[in-house]
Amino acid sequence: MSIDPRTGELDPAVEKGAEITMKNITDGPILQLLFHPDSNKLLVRSSSTILTVPTADFSSTKSLELRTSQHRWIIHPQDPALIIDIGPSSIRVLDWDLAERQVYSFQYSQTPLRVASSSNRANTVDRVLVTTDKRHLLAQISLSDVKSKEKAFLYFKTPSCSTPTAAIPVIDSDRATDTITALMLPPSLSSQIGFALSFLSQNNLIFLSRDFSMCSRRLALPSDQGATSALLTSSPSSAVPAKIEAKPMSNNRQGSERHNVVEEPPKLLFSLPGDWISRDCLALCAVWGVEKSVLCPRNGEVAVVRCSSLV
């Protein structure tokens, strides 16, 4: 589909280039769409299937059945030829032909929010944020066994994209025990976050609080020369699973310094008007970093809130 704005006319001209009937390919609702940065491929995720569709040839569709819909897919921040499947208990790196390149399985060493409980499979990855340097990811996870609707936030290094040109099959008996260490945001911070929205410069996390205020919090995370360089250690072999150990960030300054994480109170940027508050709409809020603005859907329109602190 292409849209011609037609200067001087009220309604743009919309031209449909092709139509794909998804009901013949997959069951369930469409949950996520991702465009390749070059716009030559489209990823479509339903509750049961993941599809990649070349936009130049809609008949050459690749598909893969999904065991769960609780995952979130992103384009690899460092290599657009790869995509990452992030779940509450595992991470996979694939190419756009859905060939598996690398697998990581989560292993939680501590469970302050019962992340690794027996009902872990029902936990859901709501969204994944990428830091501005593209070297780290933050996963927001809804916990199925927490009645307060509290969420867990895991921060970990972007999986390596230094994989061979061809995918190598995974053999269970040959699986190694490589490790990605994930830091867990402390409850003092995670309990305030309703929706994590974006990372801006200097690891400033922009989020919508539970009382519907837009806030900023700088995450002073481990330096590249220190613990962060040890977040990802992998062997030369490919397509092998790794363990991801979750370690909670400390709530106090002394403990934070021991983990190279400095506690700072969130900075209040502005509060949303009461008549804007709708959970379904607020879940669609987005940060427009270039314009230092927050986009908020309301009453069938999109409000643009400019804020000079969004840097």
Side-chain angles (χ1 to χ4, degrees), residues 88-89 106 108 110-121 123 141 143 145-146 151-154 184 246:
S89 61
F106 284 87
Y108 297 97
Q110 299 184 46
T111 58
L113 293 176
R114 292 177 285 176
V115 176
S117 68
S118 59
S119 61
N120 180 266
R121 293 183 180 180
N123 295 337
I141 303 175
L143 308 178
D145 59 347
V146 178
K151 302 178 185 296
F153 295 86
L154 297 181
M184 183 175 292

Side-chain angles (χ1 to χ4, degrees), residues 12 109 215 220 222 239 242 300:
S109 57
C215 300

Side-chain angles (χ1 to χ4, degrees), residues 40-60:
N40 56 14
K41 290 185 179 180
L42 170 66
L43 180 145
V44 183
R45 178 174 70 93
S46 73
S47 57
S48 62
T49 311
I50 191 82
L51 307 168
T52 55
V53 183
T55 55
D57 179 8
F58 293 94
S59 62
S60 303

Side-chain angles (χ1 to χ4, degrees), residues 173-250:
S173 59
D174 295 336
R175 289 185 173 181
T177 56
D178 300 333
T179 300
I180 290 179
T181 300
L183 299 178
M184 183 175 292
L185 297 191
S188 61
L189 176 59
S190 63
S191 62
Q192 300 181 55
I193 300 176
F195 298 101
L197 297 181
S198 179
F199 274 107
L200 298 182
S201 61
Q202 299 181 341
N203 276 332
N204 277 318
L205 174 63
I206 306 300
F207 65 90
L208 185 64
S209 71
R210 290 183 173 234
D211 61 359
F212 308 109
S213 297
M214 204 63 63
C215 300
S216 171
R217 165 66 154 75
R218 182 174 179 270
L219 301 184
L221 295 156
S223 64
D224 289 338
Q225 291 75 25
T228 300
S229 61
L231 286 177
L232 176 60
T233 57
S234 60
S235 63
S237 60
S238 74
V240 294
K243 295 179 181 178
I244 300 180
E245 299 177 353
K247 298 181 179 180
M249 298 180 181
S250 175

